Amino acid sequence: MDKPRHFTRRDFLQTSALGITAAVLGLSFTGSSSEKPYFSLKPIGRTFSLENYYIWCNSPIWGEDGKVHLFYSRWKKEKGMGGWLNGSEICRAEADSPYDEFKHKQVILTPRGDEFWDATTCHNPLITKVEDEYYLFYMGNQNGKTNTKRIGLATSKSLDGDWVRPEKPLLLPGEKGSWDDHCTTNPAFIKGNDGKFWLFYKSWNTEEYENQKGPVRGNRKYGLAKADHPAGPYEKIKENPVIDFSLLPDNAQLEDAFIWKQNGKFHIVARDMGFFNHEYGLHLTSKDGLNWSQPKIAYLNMDTYIKEPAPPAHLKRFGRLERPMILMDKDGKTPKFLFGATQGGKFETSTSFVFEIININI
């Protein structure tokens, strides 16, 4: 089967035999696959949980002290699973190694209230270091709803702060009617082949989101913006969106993308939203960051790796690993650990979950 150049509205059906067959015959991508996942994983476990909190968005980084510092989002249990949208804060935890239990250390960013762009939530942390500065990309919103989600940035010279955040967001939605007019969220960051700093972002169209029927409304796509400095200003590229599944059946899409560079290619791991199912992770590659391969399975559903008791009724997303993020080996070249968030745990909320990557299946 020929691989598509990349998933855009313009050319998906023209370049993908799979897409043509599905469109003509009405086939679905949902269900299982015999394909071997890209990552062979060994579960380390639920290494971080907090009583009375949901934990989500686990972004790890090696510290100069040799420890693993975990930037994560949390919100009060009383808010339920939806509390990420109207009450999340971003915190930092530490562990001596990825195999050890993490301990909460400090709150980093809290909703600022009033008229700030991040008045009601701080979520989606992504921590990285460029030269001697730490950059914490995140999402905030102003009204507790999706239509004010905006990507922002906080900076610091050290992992334990002080963190400085500008009064304005880093990346705004597109004009009304555009594919990305609803929001900017789920930041993924890397230095590109052109020497610029690349910020990938998720968005969707407001009219589709408001008028579509079904369990998942709107079709989430990924765009790319570039800047000469990690702190911006960022300019969206004309080729956007660079990842677009919208011509596939069953409103297939993806979210929670994390990007890294390995062996001359860009790699993305993301959460599947209907390409195979809603429980797998997806793996895509690209030589230029614009033209992405057809997705393959990155990892499987959680019960493939661990067996846990049936969850209480309020944990309706139990069994899937979301917000996947990679901790590279200390050499910075090899994916070594997969971090994610998953519902469950002794407090019946959600926790971090860590896997050791024991092999990569090419």
Side-chain angles (χ1 to χ4, degrees):
M1 183 196 311
D2 293 331
K3 290 183 179 180
R5 184 175 66 84
H6 62 116
F7 288 85
T8 67
R9 289 179 183 270
R10 292 191 301 273
D11 57 15
F12 181 84
L13 291 181
Q14 296 175 350
T15 58
S16 170
L18 180 62
I20 293 171
T21 303
V24 173
L25 300 181
L27 300 179
S28 171
F29 290 106
T30 58
S32 62
S33 170
S34 59
E35 177 184 321
K36 194 172 186 179
Y38 182 70
F39 294 123
S40 292
L41 300 174
K42 178 181 179 181
I44 295 173
R46 296 182 182 270
T47 55
F48 186 43
S49 60
L50 290 173
E51 189 172 9
N52 297 321
Y53 282 96
Y54 283 82
I55 291 175
W56 213 248
C57 303
N58 301 271
S59 182
I61 189 171
W62 293 105
E64 294 179 2
D65 54 7
K67 296 181 179 182
V68 181
H69 295 250
L70 189 66
F71 286 75
Y72 71 96
S73 58
R74 71 176 189 180
W75 62 92
K76 292 288 184 67
K77 182 178 182 179
E78 63 198 46
K79 286 181 170 289
M81 187 64 202
W84 67 270
L85 196 55
N86 62 4
S88 178
E89 60 185 9
I90 294 172
C91 306
R92 182 179 65 87
E94 290 179 9
D96 290 334
S97 81
Y99 302 98
D100 296 317
E101 291 283 336
F102 283 84
K103 302 296 183 184
H104 170 81
K105 290 299 180 181
Q106 63 182 145
V107 177
I108 300 292
L109 301 174
T110 60
R112 288 188 279 186
D114 297 326
E115 299 301 317
F116 284 102
W117 66 273
D118 51 2
T120 47
T121 211
C122 295
H123 198 61
N124 287 167
L126 174 69
I127 185 67
T128 190
K129 187 180 185 182
V130 180
E131 296 180 351
D132 63 345
E133 190 91 7
Y134 290 98
Y135 295 88
L136 179 59
F137 296 89
Y138 70 105
M139 178 275 289
N141 69 8
Q142 193 176 36
N143 62 357
K145 299 179 181 180
T146 59
N147 67 341
T148 59
K149 295 202 307 183
R150 306 286 184 266
I151 290 175
L153 177 67
T155 59
S156 175
K157 291 292 184 181
S158 66
L159 288 171
D160 57 1
D162 295 325
W163 292 90
V164 178
R165 50 177 161 171
E167 293 188 4
K168 295 182 179 180
L170 193 64
L171 194 67
L172 297 174
E175 296 180 357
K176 184 177 180 180
S178 63
W179 73 271
D180 63 346
D181 70 357
H182 193 75
C183 63
T184 62
T185 187
N186 284 181
F189 174 84
I190 199 165
K191 189 171 185 179
N193 293 336
D194 55 6
K196 292 181 179 291
F197 296 94
W198 295 3
L199 181 61
F200 290 84
Y201 66 100
K202 184 185 81 176
S203 190
W204 60 93
N205 175 265
T206 297
E207 184 177 358
E208 291 178 359
Y209 180 69
E210 292 179 347
N211 295 312
Q212 278 184 349
K213 306 298 183 182
V216 180
R217 295 175 292 115
N219 191 274
R220 288 144 185 82
K221 307 173 182 69
Y222 267 84
L224 171 60
K226 297 184 178 184
D228 293 326
H229 188 275
Y234 282 87
E235 183 176 349
K236 298 175 183 178
I237 65 171
K238 66 180 184 334
E239 294 89 347
N240 281 338
V242 295
I243 303 178
D244 180 356
F245 293 177
S246 60
L247 289 181
L248 295 175
D250 301 323
N251 199 24
Q253 50 196 285
L254 79 170
E255 68 173 1
D256 297 348
F258 177 89
I259 188 168
W260 74 99
K261 193 184 295 185
Q262 184 182 7
N263 298 330
K265 287 185 178 181
F266 296 99
H267 294 251
I268 275 179
V269 61
R271 186 177 84 84
D272 192 354
M273 294 183 71
F275 189 87
F276 293 106
N277 53 38
H278 286 259
E279 285 76 44
Y280 289 174
L282 299 179
H283 174 239
L284 299 82
T285 61
S286 173
K287 291 183 178 180
D288 61 5
L290 303 178
N291 304 293
W292 291 89
S293 68
Q294 179 179 302
K296 295 186 177 181
I297 297 172
Y299 57 85
L300 301 170
N301 42 308
M302 289 295 293
D303 64 7
T304 304
Y305 307 103
I306 60 168
K307 302 301 179 185
E308 295 184 310
H314 69 276
L315 297 182
K316 301 184 185 302
R317 296 160 75 172
F318 181 81
R320 62 172 78 157
L321 186 76
E322 302 195 37
R323 295 291 292 150
M325 293 193 175
I326 302 294
L327 178 64
M328 307 293 278
D329 210 344
K330 289 186 177 180
D331 62 8
K333 298 179 181 179
T334 308
K336 188 62 178 175
F337 300 93
L338 174 65
F339 282 68
T342 191
Q343 288 188 340
K346 61 184 178 180
F347 300 123
E348 298 184 342
T349 52
S350 60
T351 75
S352 305
F353 200 98
V354 184
F355 290 93
E356 181 182 7
I357 300 170
I358 58 176
N359 191 37
I360 290 178
N361 303 304
I362 299 176

